[in-house]
Amino acid sequence: MKTTIVSFLMIAFIAINGNIKAQPGAALNFDGVDDYAKINKATMGAFSIEFWMRTLQTGPTGTQWYHGNGIVDAEVSGVANDFGVTLIGNQIAFGTGNPDVTIFSTSNVNTGNWVHVCAMFTSNPSGKMWLYINGVLEAQKLTGVSSNARSATSNVNFGRIQTGINYYNGDLDEVRVWNKVLTSCEIISTMNCEMTPPNSNLWNYYQFNQGTAAGNNTGMTTVPNVMGGNNATLYNMALTGSSSNFIANGGVVSGISCPSNFINVQGNSNDVPNGSVSTSTVNNTNFNTLCSSNTPLTNTFSIQNNLLSTLSVGGFSITGTNASLFSVSTLPSNTIASTTSSSFAVTFTPTTGGSKSAVVSFTTDNCNAPTYSFAIGATVIGSPVISVNSGSICSGNSFTINPSGASTYTIQGGSSVVSPTANATYTVNGTSATGCISSNTAISSVTVNALPTISVNSGAICYGKSFTINPSGASTYTIQGGSAVVSPTANATYTVNGTSAAGCISSNTATSAVTVNTLPIVSVNNGTICSGNSFTISPSGANTYTIQGGSAVVSPTANASYTVNGTSTAGCLSSNTATSSVNVNALPVVSVNNGTICSGNSFTINPSGANTYTIQGGSAVVSPTANATYSVVGTSSVTGCISNAVNDSVTVNALPSVSLSAAQTTACLGASSIALTGSPAGGVYTGSNVSAGAFTPGT
């Protein structure tokens, strides 16, 4: 406020003293009578003509542009590939020829205010026309327009129809001829400022910033083309006074230049050009060299809005080879006021080693940079990935931790040699030769295996036998002598050590005691028996016996031998097999006489075949009174064997009873023998059998 008051006072002071300094020219006034300017024109397949105008003039009426007062015009009589921008009534008319097509503004432009006009044409792929007033599209023709390039006439006139009629009465500023069709954004973003060369698409550009406003400019007969060459030649201009001369306060304030970058990004207060493909730590586009194990790093960027209007931004994205490693971590404001800035941040998360690159992009509503993008990158030194051994030890032993993958290591507890008493884990971190800390923490797991406690059997064997040592409590064993099967000849002990499946040696030494029992020596009796008798085998020298045939009492019928084995109380089988020999003596075979006697006589038993005999009744002379049998048993005087009993049969015949007559008796007395018949029949009697009156049967 203070500045405004001071300025006003200064102006008032200067006015009072009559010393107001002349202003430089900023626009060109045409008097509508005979003023005009002329430039050369090339054949144009597409163009955009824009300018600022200020007028109170009302143009002629008509249906085609060439009926109006020419402002920027290239009209040619007859059918031609020409064009022009004129004032018809109070509207702008833009037309092209062959065929003649004209479009009109909807706004009134003869208001005495500065109005921006942009007329555009293209012949490819078909003829089209557009007309913008103050940055707003008011008319367009997309069909029925000639697709011919604008080749007619070699001149363009400012301030009249090119054929020399219909002069424009008003002011003109910032005339630009482009060789392309502008976008609405391009029109809006540059219409309020002065362009600065170079610009490959801007052919002709006239700012009218010459001379002294309303001063004596009679020495100036051309208006320079800011782009170089093809200056505009002035015709019939008074170039003095307030009319037909350069004037102040043009459509664009002189000296307000369109920025070379309407929007700009800076990092670390240094520019980051749109579309840049190289990166640098100077402007934060390069995150420098990091270890892959580093924490994420964030760089900040500032969006500078150099426009004269508010800038809208959005659509932030990161693309490219390593896009996943970068992220937009802080967004700027969606709208950025004119000549201000807003910041955003990009965070890089290092992972594996190598050169990393991506592209940051965002969209704007500025036509010069609808998409703003720039490369970002970093160099990542791969952090070491370490590995470490794990293992197992036996209780009481030590374990050596051997990490790999880095240059130096930090091991939990400080030492690589550990002796845990129970299962344990140890963390290990590594650092590379470049100082990068390992991206991982390796863990060494140490299993502590208990020492096995073994036990072993003891026992007894019989001499000459083997004993199997059966230890338990471990997986494998070391037995004194090398074998689990032993055959000691005397009582012995064997030491046993064990090893677990984990390779741990037993904490104790077990002892197997083996007792060796002697073998019994068996003896046995021999003997002789008579056939039919039994013999008892009586072994000695052992505890129990095994006798051939299964019984100690045998009854062989002939000479025989029987094997005998013995077993001691310790269960040992006798070292020998004893043999019991049994001789079998045959029984004497006794034979005896049989006979017949007459009753009353005696009979002598005469046995044979033995040495002595035992006769039933005790006497060899028997006098049975009836038929009789006598048992006779003989005994051998050599073997003492008694024969089987033999029966001696004695038949006793009864004496006959004979009655004779005297004559018979007399007759018989003198006979040497008498044959009798009758009872007893068959008797033969001799004289010796004859006794007084009777006969005794003889044998």
Side-chain angles (χ1 to χ4, degrees), residues 208-280:
F208 303 111
N209 292 344
Q210 284 76 45
T212 302
N216 185 354
N217 301 301
T218 55
M220 299 180 183
T221 59
T222 61
V223 175
N225 176 14
V226 176
M227 306 310 295
N230 197 22
N231 295 336
T233 303
L234 303 179
Y235 293 91
N236 305 324
M237 304 293 293
L239 296 177
T240 184
S242 59
S243 175
S244 187
N245 195 8
F246 293 101
I247 62 171
N249 300 325
V252 173
V253 177
S254 297
I256 302 298
S257 298
C258 298
S260 56
N261 292 320
F262 291 97
I263 65 170
N264 188 37
V265 172
Q266 289 189 335
N268 196 28
S269 299
N270 293 296
D271 288 345
V272 181
N274 185 14
S276 61
V277 295
S278 61
T279 63
S280 172

Side-chain angles (χ1 to χ4, degrees), residues 171-513:
D171 304 323
L172 193 62
D173 192 16
E174 290 288 309
V175 177
R176 303 170 187 170
V177 181
W178 301 81
N179 68 347
K180 69 172 186 175
V181 175
L182 300 175
T183 66
S184 60
C185 178
E186 288 176 311
I187 296 170
I188 293 171
S189 63
T190 61
M191 60 188 255
N192 291 305
C193 53
E194 294 180 338
M195 301 291 292
T196 301
N199 191 309
S200 60
N201 297 115
L202 184 55
W203 280 359
N204 303 299
Y205 180 24
Y206 308 93
Q207 294 178 334
F208 303 111
N209 292 344
Q210 284 76 45
T212 302
N216 185 354
N217 301 301
T218 55
M220 299 180 183
T221 59
T222 61
V223 175
N225 176 14
V226 176
M227 306 310 295
N230 197 22
N231 295 336
T233 303
L234 303 179
Y235 293 91
N236 305 324
M237 304 293 293
L239 296 177
T240 184
S242 59
S243 175
S244 187
N245 195 8
F246 293 101
I247 62 171
N249 300 325
V252 173
V253 177
S254 297
I256 302 298
S257 298
C258 298
S260 56
N261 292 320
F262 291 97
I263 65 170
N264 188 37
V265 172
Q266 289 189 335
N268 196 28
S269 299
N270 293 296
D271 288 345
V272 181
N274 185 14
S276 61
V277 295
S278 61
T279 63
S280 172
T281 56
V282 173
N283 60 10
N284 279 351
T285 56
N286 192 299
F287 286 72
N288 215 331
T289 300
L290 305 89
C291 297
S292 61
S293 59
N294 279 35
T295 56
L297 179 64
T298 299
N299 283 354
T300 301
F301 300 90
S302 173
I303 301 175
Q304 312 286 326
N305 179 14
N306 301 319
L307 296 170
L308 301 179
S309 58
T310 299
L311 174 70
S312 296
V313 297
F316 281 80
S317 65
I318 296 181
T319 58
T321 304
N322 307 114
S324 62
L325 304 182
F326 299 86
S327 64
V328 179
S329 51
T330 303
L331 291 171
S333 299
N334 291 331
T335 57
I336 304 173
S338 173
T339 68
T340 65
S341 63
S342 183
S343 297
F344 67 95
V346 175
T347 297
F348 172 64
T349 302
T351 53
T352 57
S355 179
K356 310 299 178 183
S357 63
V359 175
V360 177
S361 301
F362 60 90
T363 59
T364 78
D365 63 350
N366 175 250
C367 57
N368 291 297
T371 298
Y372 201 107
S373 64
F374 56 90
I376 53 176
T379 299
V380 180
I381 299 175
S383 296
V385 177
I386 63 170
S387 58
V388 69
N389 60 322
S390 292
S392 60
I393 60 171
C394 298
S395 179
N397 290 350
S398 62
F399 179 79
T400 299
I401 298 171
N402 290 316
S404 62
S407 179
T408 60
Y409 305 92
T410 301
I411 301 174
Q412 180 183 357
S415 175
S416 61
V417 179
V418 294
S419 301
T421 57
N423 293 349
T425 57
Y426 299 87
T427 57
V428 181
N429 291 302
T431 303
S432 68
T434 57
C436 291
I437 298 173
S438 57
S439 59
N440 66 315
T441 296
I443 296 178
S444 175
S445 298
V446 181
T447 301
V448 179
N449 296 309
L451 303 182
T453 300
I454 63 170
S455 59
V456 69
N457 61 324
S458 292
I461 61 170
C462 298
Y463 181 88
K465 298 296 182 181
S466 61
F467 179 77
T468 300
I469 299 171
N470 290 316
S472 62
S475 179
T476 60
Y477 304 91
T478 301
I479 301 173
Q480 180 183 356
S483 175
V485 179
V486 295
S487 301
T489 58
N491 293 348
T493 57
Y494 299 87
T495 58
V496 181
N497 290 305
T499 302
S500 67
C504 296
I505 298 174
S506 57
S507 58
N508 67 314
T509 297
T511 301
S512 175

Side-chain angles (χ1 to χ4, degrees), residues 570-590:
C572 296
L573 187 63
S574 57
S575 60
N576 67 314
T577 298
T579 301
S580 176
S581 297
V582 180
N583 293 321
V584 180
N585 291 320
L587 300 181
V589 179
V590 175

Side-chain angles (χ1 to χ4, degrees), residues 494-628:
Y494 299 87
T495 58
V496 181
N497 290 305
T499 302
S500 67
C504 296
I505 298 174
S506 57
S507 58
N508 67 314
T509 297
T511 301
S512 175
V514 181
T515 301
V516 179
N517 295 308
T518 58
L519 303 181
I521 299 174
V522 177
S523 61
V524 69
N525 59 324
N526 295 312
T528 301
I529 62 170
C530 296
S531 178
N533 289 350
S534 62
F535 179 77
T536 299
I537 299 170
S538 298
S540 62
N543 185 46
T544 60
Y545 305 93
T546 301
I547 300 173
Q548 181 181 359
S551 175
V553 178
V554 295
S555 300
T557 58
N559 293 346
S561 60
Y562 297 87
T563 58
V564 179
N565 291 304
T567 302
S568 67
T569 54
C572 296
L573 187 63
S574 57
S575 60
N576 67 314
T577 298
T579 301
S580 176
S581 297
V582 180
N583 293 321
V584 180
N585 291 320
L587 300 181
V589 179
V590 175
S591 61
V592 68
N593 57 325
N594 295 312
T596 302
I597 63 172
C598 292
S599 179
N601 290 345
S602 64
F603 180 79
T604 300
I605 299 171
N606 292 313
S608 62
N611 296 110
T612 61
Y613 304 95
T614 300
I615 300 172
Q616 183 181 0
S619 175
V621 178
V622 295
S623 300
T625 58
N627 292 343

